[in-house]
Amino acid sequence: FGHTAGDALLRQLSDIIQTKIRSTDVLARLGGDEFGILLERCSQERAVEVAEAIRGAIEGYRFEWQDSFTTVRCSIGVVLVTNENMEDVAGLMSSADVACYSAKDMGRNQVHFYRDSDASLRHEEMKWVSKITSAVEEDRFELFFQPIIGIGDSDRRKHYALLLRMRDEDGNLVGPDQFIPAAERYNLMSTLDRWVIHKALSELADRSSEDDARYTIAINLSGTSLSEDRFLEYVINELEAQKLPKGAICFEITETAAISNLSRVVHFMQTLKKLGCKFSLDDFGSGLSSFTYLKNLPVDYLKIDGQFIRNVVDDTVDE
């Protein structure tokens, strides 16, 4: 709705929060859409109750603006101020921040009370940020592939899915389950996506044919990259530099990412399809699974989430 509406929303939310705390408590806007609350002489149990009351009030709030409306959610982290930690204000703020991130990890719209284990987990993730950045700079990522096997004759072109792996400083292979969560949290997915696209297009894609490619390689794109303004321009530049045959590249976009950026993703697809790219909708069935959305997305392939087809031979419900 624009900045003016955003400011109005923040003011109205602060009024809602004020109704759930005492006049002696302190409410402050820390920046952006983040608020901090200092509850004086308040037990752990009561603090969580207050946080839950604030969360529920915000969840039930309906923001109206120029004949439209929307709802919002919040994630809340709670930390107890004790004699041991009260001298370190920065540490207290950091702990509250970590607890808030943990609430987001739990699915958002949650209240999470800070535990020491939260900090060690966040510290471990921060170390991965440094490792990922170094691996990009030192070109220590590798692309593996696995064939996508067709059971019919509808598409004779060979099809391969690309898988990203990382080598640590000692040359050991690191799986994506170890570095992707940190990359997603700290906005490094676009950096990884760009690395994969450049490597795949310049070194792995089929360029022996002037008409249709002999094989297709599938590249996963993150929702972060799709929402980035200059990412489409980057992909176009890479494609034009390599001059690949039609069908050499298939981009895989998850259902959740597609629906959350629908108009942008449709524009992204339509633009790159004109340059000979194909598209696959990934994880179909794990999100909204709307066939209406599917009709509006110009996809070539549909990847049904594995949980639906894993037992399709034995389970009538799955079938």
Side-chain angles (χ1 to χ4, degrees), residues 33-309:
D33 60 353
E34 291 190 336
F35 292 86
I37 304 168
L38 182 62
L39 304 173
E40 296 188 57
R41 296 179 181 83
C42 184
S43 67
Q44 174 180 331
E45 293 76 15
R46 179 57 187 156
V48 172
E49 288 177 7
V50 172
E52 189 59 46
I54 293 170
R55 186 207 61 76
I58 291 176
E59 182 183 28
Y61 166 68
R62 174 177 162 133
F63 176 70
E64 298 186 7
W65 188 262
Q66 296 177 350
D67 300 326
S68 297
F69 76 92
T70 188
T71 57
V72 291
R73 303 285 188 272
C74 70
S75 300
I76 304 178
V78 183
V79 63
L80 192 64
V81 182
T82 64
N83 288 330
E84 290 77 29
N85 66 16
M86 65 188 298
E87 293 180 4
D88 184 8
V89 176
L92 273 170
M93 296 290 282
S94 176
S95 297
D97 199 38
V98 165
C100 189
Y101 266 111
S102 298
K104 291 179 181 179
D105 287 346
M106 293 158 56
R108 300 179 180 268
N109 196 30
Q110 305 271 347
V111 173
H112 181 76
F113 190 83
Y114 175 81
R115 298 177 180 84
D116 290 338
S117 57
D118 296 338
S120 59
L121 180 64
R122 195 69 56 213
H123 182 66
E124 195 62 33
E125 280 189 339
M126 286 303 295
K127 285 198 291 188
W128 274 112
V129 172
S130 176
K131 290 178 181 178
I132 292 167
T133 304
S134 297
V136 171
E137 292 173 352
E138 298 166 14
D139 205 28
R140 283 191 282 105
F141 281 99
E142 295 180 16
L143 288 171
F144 285 54
F145 74 90
Q146 63 182 21
I148 297 174
I149 308 298
I151 57 172
D153 296 325
S154 59
D155 190 353
R156 296 179 183 274
R157 182 190 292 120
K158 292 181 179 178
H159 206 125
Y160 302 98
L162 292 188
L163 310 168
L164 184 64
R165 301 290 183 266
M166 184 176 114
R167 294 275 178 192
D168 63 19
E169 293 85 346
D170 300 321
N172 299 314
L173 208 59
V174 180
D177 57 321
Q178 292 181 264
F179 63 85
I180 290 294
E184 289 177 333
R185 181 184 312 284
Y186 297 103
N187 298 318
L188 291 172
M189 282 307 299
S190 177
T191 301
L192 295 185
D193 283 351
R194 288 167 188 254
W195 185 93
V196 171
I197 288 170
H198 176 73
K199 207 77 170 176
L201 270 59
S202 62
E203 297 182 19
L204 301 177
D206 179 33
R207 50 176 36 80
S208 62
S209 170
E210 292 185 0
D211 189 17
D212 277 5
R214 296 172 305 158
Y215 62 88
T216 298
I217 53 176
I219 301 172
N220 279 297
L221 294 180
S222 68
T224 310
S225 296
L226 292 168
S227 60
E228 190 182 288
D229 288 338
R230 288 185 290 275
F231 186 73
L232 175 58
E233 181 184 343
Y234 174 83
V235 178
I236 291 171
N237 290 339
E238 287 288 326
L239 286 167
E240 290 178 343
Q242 301 302 329
K243 296 181 172 59
L244 301 175
K246 184 179 178 182
I249 301 295
C250 176
F251 289 112
E252 294 189 354
I253 298 173
T254 65
E255 177 193 2
T256 305
I259 291 172
S260 60
N261 299 285
L262 190 60
S263 59
R264 185 186 286 260
V265 168
V266 169
H267 173 66
F268 186 93
M269 287 181 170
Q270 290 173 339
T271 302
L272 295 186
K273 282 177 80 75
K274 292 175 183 176
L275 297 177
C277 295
K278 290 182 173 293
F279 281 89
S280 174
L281 190 63
D282 202 0
D283 292 345
F284 189 76
S286 61
L288 292 173
S289 311
S290 167
F291 290 103
T292 304
Y293 284 123
L294 191 57
K295 286 176 67 176
N296 294 326
L297 290 167
V299 296
D300 303 282
Y301 305 101
L302 186 66
K303 294 183 72 176
I304 300 171
D305 192 78
Q307 64 179 321
F308 287 98
I309 52 90

